[in-house]
Amino acid sequence: MSSYTITLNKPAESDYPLFASWWNDHRVADGVRKTLEQHPLEENEALFRQWAGNDSADGFGYAIYNNDGLCVGFISAWGLACGDERDAQLALIVGPYYQGHGYGSQALHIALHELAEKLHANTITVHIAAHNLRARHMFAERGFKEIDRLHHAIERDGKPFDIIVMRAAAQEAVRSTWQDNPYDDTVQLIPRRNIFRVE
């Protein structure tokens, strides 16, 4: 029986207007965009259609659905076809009404497995706004470490913030989500108890 309360699938047509509106919502934009400037919804839709088109050896773009079938977020990976490094770029958003329920944590768990086991990524890189402490903690828990910092790349309320570049070895990131099973010697690893915590 799966412990996941979400699934990742190709977005439905009805999801794109939702993504477009989220991209302009400050509760999403503040954590993932350089500016909070409103963009035309048509342009936002086109961006998500492009990101969702990564369903090849280069990466993927998935809608995140909860057990009720509601679209609660979007996760994408790209860049595996560039060079021999096999470094995947990863991005994740959770819709404004669905944050704080562990959906992002679960989606990341599934995506790490796909990148490491199916797409054979060597490393995975994320760019995170320095003030997005929740995201920084979520990735740090999975073995991501700061490798670079883009100084004063974001401005919020007249104050400059950095973008932090974090990277992890793909296999190590997957291993970090599991722990030894102290209850059953026949099962060597189980998901870490706090991995799907309410964020």
Side-chain angles (χ1 to χ4, degrees):
M1 182 173 173
S2 173
S3 56
Y4 295 120
T5 62
I6 58 102
T7 56
L8 305 184
N9 282 302
K10 186 178 178 72
E13 276 300 309
S14 58
D15 295 331
Y16 289 105
L18 191 63
F19 298 149
S21 66
W22 289 351
W23 202 237
N24 279 343
D25 190 300
H26 73 276
R27 290 165 292 184
V28 172
D30 185 50
V32 297
R33 286 180 43 194
K34 287 188 177 181
T35 73
L36 300 182
E37 175 186 348
Q38 297 284 294
H39 290 207
L41 293 177
E42 302 80 21
E43 290 182 13
N44 292 347
E45 270 199 51
L47 277 177
F48 280 93
R49 288 183 186 280
Q50 177 185 340
W51 296 335
N54 272 338
D55 55 359
S56 64
D58 186 53
F60 54 73
Y62 292 132
I64 305 167
Y65 298 102
N66 68 9
N67 277 349
D68 295 323
L70 296 172
C71 180
V72 299
F74 183 82
I75 189 165
S76 62
W78 66 97
L80 283 168
C82 301
D84 299 325
E85 294 85 4
R86 304 292 298 165
D87 178 50
Q89 304 289 310
L90 184 66
L92 164 70
I93 66 167
V94 175
Y97 302 111
Y98 305 109
Q99 296 171 3
H101 298 285
Y103 295 137
S105 182
Q106 292 183 59
L108 178 58
H109 188 78
I110 296 170
L112 291 176
H113 274 272
E114 179 156 346
L115 286 168
E117 307 299 334
K118 293 182 182 177
L119 295 177
H120 308 293
N122 290 330
T123 55
I124 302 167
T125 301
V126 294
H127 290 70
I128 301 172
H131 65 278
N132 191 347
L133 300 180
R134 177 184 292 178
R136 289 171 61 183
H137 180 69
M138 182 172 71
F139 283 100
E141 275 195 323
R142 289 152 181 83
F144 284 75
K145 296 190 175 11
E146 181 176 337
I147 62 164
D148 197 6
R149 188 174 282 248
L150 310 178
H151 295 284
H152 298 176
I154 295 176
E155 186 174 301
R156 296 288 187 267
D157 298 324
K159 297 179 181 176
F161 290 92
D162 299 345
I163 289 178
I164 297 173
V165 184
M166 302 179 76
R167 180 174 291 158
Q171 291 294 337
E172 288 178 18
V174 169
R175 279 195 295 273
S176 74
T177 62
W178 298 88
Q179 67 182 8
D180 292 331
N181 188 349
Y183 310 109
D184 187 349
D185 291 338
T186 64
V187 180
Q188 292 185 340
L189 295 173
I190 58 174
R192 276 179 38 206
R193 283 190 295 274
N194 68 338
I195 209 71
F196 298 155
R197 74 192 189 292
V198 173
E199 298 171 344

